[in-house]
Amino acid sequence: MSKVVKYLVVYPLLFIINLIDSCINCCKRRDARYKQLPTKKPFSKPVKIGTDSYSYMSCMTDKLERITNPNSNIYVEFTEAARKHQQIKTMGVRAVLSVEDQVQSNGKVFKKYNMDKEYKWTTYQEMLLKVDRLASGFLQIGIKSNDSVIIFSETRAEWLMSALACFKIKAVVVTLYATLGIDALTYGINETVATTIIASGDSVSKLKKIIDKIPTIKNILVLTDAFTPNCDSLRSDIKSMNIYSFNELVEIGKTSNSESNYERPVPSDLAIIMYTSGSTGNPKGVMMTHGNILTARKSLIKRFGTFDKNDSYIAYLPLAHIFELLVEMSFIIEGVSIGYSNPLTLSDVSTAIKAGDTGDIKVLKPSLLACVPTVLERISKGVKDKISKESDLKKILLETAARKKLRKVKQGKSSVLMDKIVFSKLNEALFGGRIRLIISGGAMLNRELQEFCQVHFCTTVQAYGLTETCAGGTTQFPFQTEVEEVGSVIGSCEIRLVNWVEGNYRVTDKPNPRGEIWIGGDNVTLGYYKMPDKTKEDYHVIDGIRYFATGDIGEMLPNGSLKIIDRKKDLVKLQGGEYVSLNKVENVIKLLPMVSNCCVIADPKKTYCVCLISPDVKKVEDLISTAHVELELGQKVQVGRRRSLDILNEFIDILEKNKNWKDKFNKDIFDHCKKQGLETFEIPTKCRFVKEQWLPETGLVTDSLKLKRKEIESFYKKEIEILYS
Ligand SMILES: *[C@@H]1O[C@H](CO)[C@@H](O)[C@H](O)[C@H]1NC(C)=O
Ligand SMILES: *[C@@H]1O[C@H](CO)[C@@H](O)[C@H](O)[C@H]1NC(C)=O
Ligand SMILES: *[C@@H]1O[C@H](CO)[C@@H](O)[C@H](O)[C@H]1NC(C)=O
Ligand SMILES: *[C@@H]1O[C@H](CO)[C@@H](O)[C@H](O)[C@H]1NC(C)=O
Ligand SMILES: CC(=O)N[C@H]1CO[C@H](CO)[C@@H](O)[C@@H]1O
């Protein structure tokens, strides 16, 4: 029956839809939004060709884009936008009306929110007024130009308003994201000698624990919420500091105006110190100027075509990351309205949303979405699960339609009718039905995921940039559908590929130039706060252009798209955005007696790492001869008088085949690493013994027994694939 339907109904139907789409494409002109985008490849052009480096720039410009107005700053650009858009809605918030506890069947208690039915909006004019009052409030409580103000809060509307108020009076915003931990917060406050901290109700509880260690702090500005509706209890808990709620400070700012007591920032003035995790120990504060942010945002926004007042953006990624900060700054200046959300209430199935209630995204119905790959992974997994539960017929329909659409996507063509008939319901169920552009950043997006999003959701592009370059780097254009590449150079940047001889990457490589990626331009930040040596190591000025050496290895494709192919430093960023320092993890695993050497492999397209272990033959032999092992492995390994290596090889084979043993092996390593203080994401999920001893003559290690990672990875390609399967 289903076969008959398949051949007589589904296939012919999709065939016809596809055919109609092809006809539509024939007479369709380019999307008007993309009118200003280039059409001819290559999208990056070579500008300087040397023997040890090649430089590339955007094909959209002849010289690096810069901020030319010497009096420009972020606040001034915002006021210009506010004047232009006046009554247009800018920031939307969906209020939490009340909170209730819901006991799950397993005894766990989840907090569930009763949410407002809709978003409440602030217009540009109202927002500007609030920012101005806040700035005046800041001045009145004693904040001066050059002072540091810490923002320690999840993403919300008050975050951006507070930052803009700081920018107005040339106070420096210091950002620290919550996952950096409480020690990092103490460190950041101490290092920047901050006097004021802006924290959400939730983060204030963390602050209480370190109150004795942060003597420089005089003021706490509390962003109240449903859990902390006012500051009364805080005031009685913390007597040594002045505590204000956001609204109280706006109120203070209303009463009097101290307009003249502050300096106006210029492009070269420091705007933000953004802390990111360091490879070891303390976090590093990246210093960004007003000019950095303005140049980067201007070049970046141009890459995605034009926006209109129907566009809206849903904000939920942490603003303490450059990616979200820059995207929001760009949209707010562009007149795109921003609806605030957070991971707890984003979708219908988010933890704080009650069964049957609607998540933020479907209330807002955004047209623009910024994502990190893990979020996309989660969404697409949900969709795949749903599809797998559908009837056979529907499954066949969806899968065949997806195949046909992917072919069109690859040709850069649209599938208007197919979308309408097959995919629009999905779009509606997930995003409210208006989504048109997903920008993915923060980590590399793998092929399957990007293709899945392009087919089932909408245009999905990758962007590549770092905190140190103020998110500047490369992006794909919305009409580009290639996968596994990060697009072409943005207008304010120059990308320089530099030979890395030890890694065997050279700009003279065939077929394409390869090398370490250096990003240069006005958007390259000033360096690391109070770390002149580290700054000197990673930042370089050549011919008046400032570069940041990223440590990423890139290959420039003939059509001007950059592809990231390797990583120079031993620091790898996993799909979830966490950094794993390979060396650090290896040093911990090497403490185990059975380990003679080991190599942690962290594929940036995956969420976890794995590890290859070259065993200590003697110790393994001892292990095998213990009674405990013999019971399990029984007669299989006869220690007797055989050569150690043979025993070892047989042992490894048996270990590989025995799931219980393998699990125990992995668990022992996990427990050991945990005890040594590694974070869960740093610990290899799967480990495996290899049969070889890693000696210099094998070519797998250097003469000083340092790992040659590339060689190891290619030698054990098969084993690594198995570990990651
Ligand atoms: C802020 O710093 C600049 C440059 O270091 C200095 O010229 C200025 O006087 C400082 N302003 C205040 C209010 O300390
Ligand atoms: C703060 O920094 C100073 C040096 O600048 C250091 O001596 C002190 O121990 C630090 N305090 C804390 C609590 O980290
Ligand atoms: C905005 O959307 C409305 C209704 O969908 C449409 O009529 C209007 O043309 C759109 N405006 C712009 C500027 O695209
Ligand atoms: C660039 O070229 C590579 C190989 O030459 C190709 O796979 C890719 O699709 C091209 N990308 C663009 C943007 O044309
Ligand atoms: C806007 C901005 O910060 N521009 C800086 C870019 O870098 C050059 C030197 O590398 C500085 O002189 C500019 O001030």
Side-chain angles (χ1 to χ4, degrees), residues 152-154 156 198-205 221-225:
F152 187 60
S153 156
E154 69 279 12
R156 46 193 287 174
I198 301 173
S200 58
D202 185 35
S203 338
V204 172
S205 57
L221 176 59
V222 183
L223 309 180
T224 50
D225 55 26

Side-chain angles (χ1 to χ4, degrees), residues 23 28 71 99 101 148 157 298 405 431 557 575 633 652 711:
C23 297
K28 219 176 119 195
N71 294 318
V99 181
D101 287 339
S148 297
K298 202 166 133 203
K405 183 170 169 191
F431 307 109
L557 303 177
Q575 196 76 140
L633 296 179
I652 292 174
E711 273 77 3

Side-chain angles (χ1 to χ4, degrees), residues 144-146 170 263:
K144 297 186 297 298
S145 298
N146 300 349
K170 211 184 110 182
E263 296 160 21

Side-chain angles (χ1 to χ4, degrees), residues 5-7 9-16 396 400 403-404:
V5 178
K6 190 162 116 185
Y7 285 104
V9 182
V10 175
Y11 285 172
L13 182 71
L14 291 176
F15 178 81
I16 293 169
I396 291 169
T400 316
R403 242 189 346 264
K404 286 195 188 301

Side-chain angles (χ1 to χ4, degrees), residues 554-615:
E555 172 177 346
M556 187 57 84
L557 303 177
N559 45 37
S561 266
L562 188 68
K563 188 170 175 168
I564 313 284
I565 52 174
D566 203 348
R567 174 93 199 139
K568 185 173 168 184
K569 292 171 187 162
D570 285 343
L571 202 63
V572 180
K573 192 190 220 176
L574 292 176
Q575 196 76 140
E578 311 96 333
Y579 283 99
V580 176
S581 165
L582 303 178
N583 228 327
K584 175 173 136 196
V585 180
E586 280 155 6
N587 287 338
V588 168
I589 293 178
K590 271 194 238 164
L591 296 175
L592 284 165
M594 274 192 297
V595 177
S596 127
N597 205 342
C598 67
C599 177
V600 173
I601 289 129
D603 182 341
K605 294 196 218 72
K606 296 283 169 34
T607 52
Y608 58 94
C609 44
V610 297
C611 179
L612 294 172
I613 297 175
S614 175

Side-chain angles (χ1 to χ4, degrees), residues 228-325:
T228 319
N230 60 54
C231 307
D232 295 345
S233 79
L234 277 173
R235 284 201 181 96
S236 58
D237 284 354
I238 307 173
K239 293 232 163 52
S240 55
M241 296 171 191
N242 302 314
I243 294 173
Y244 309 92
S245 76
F246 186 85
N247 289 336
E248 283 164 0
L249 203 60
V250 170
E251 209 51 40
I252 292 174
K254 215 170 170 177
T255 52
S256 120
N257 215 332
S258 24
E259 273 300 314
S260 51
N261 296 333
Y262 63 92
E263 296 160 21
R264 273 88 179 147
V266 295
S268 59
D269 279 325
L270 194 57
I272 298 182
I273 300 175
M274 182 171 277
Y275 277 94
T276 68
S277 48
S279 54
T280 48
N282 293 325
K284 299 175 293 194
V286 176
M287 299 185 285
M288 299 169 188
T289 63
H290 283 260
N292 289 157
I293 292 167
L294 292 179
T295 349
R297 80 129 209 114
K298 202 166 133 203
S299 300
L300 204 64
I301 197 80
K302 267 194 207 158
R303 311 275 303 183
F304 303 119
T306 52
F307 301 90
D308 59 52
K309 64 176 195 293
N310 283 354
D311 276 317
S312 62
Y313 169 75
I314 186 148
Y316 66 95
L317 291 173
L319 264 168
H321 285 282
I322 187 63
F323 179 49
E324 176 69 16
L325 181 70

Side-chain angles (χ1 to χ4, degrees), residues 631-696:
L631 281 181
E632 293 264 348
L633 296 179
Q635 304 77 13
K636 296 247 175 72
V637 181
Q638 309 273 329
V639 179
R641 290 193 300 276
R642 295 162 64 202
R643 281 175 48 230
S644 303
L645 270 180
D646 290 344
I647 301 167
L648 179 73
N649 287 349
E650 201 167 340
F651 171 70
I652 292 174
D653 286 339
I654 293 169
L655 186 62
E656 266 320 294
K657 289 194 195 103
N658 186 322
K659 185 168 179 316
N660 286 344
W661 269 82
K662 245 173 29 186
D663 288 349
K664 179 169 178 342
F665 177 61
N666 285 325
K667 184 166 182 313
D668 284 352
I669 291 178
F670 181 89
D671 291 345
H672 162 78
C673 294
K674 213 59 220 183
K675 218 181 278 165
Q676 294 289 328
L678 290 188
E679 298 290 341
T680 304
F681 67 81
E682 291 177 310
I683 303 174
T685 313
K686 292 189 202 162
C687 304
R688 165 179 187 137
F689 277 132
V690 297
K691 294 178 178 173
E692 288 73 20
Q693 297 295 296
W694 293 347
L695 301 169

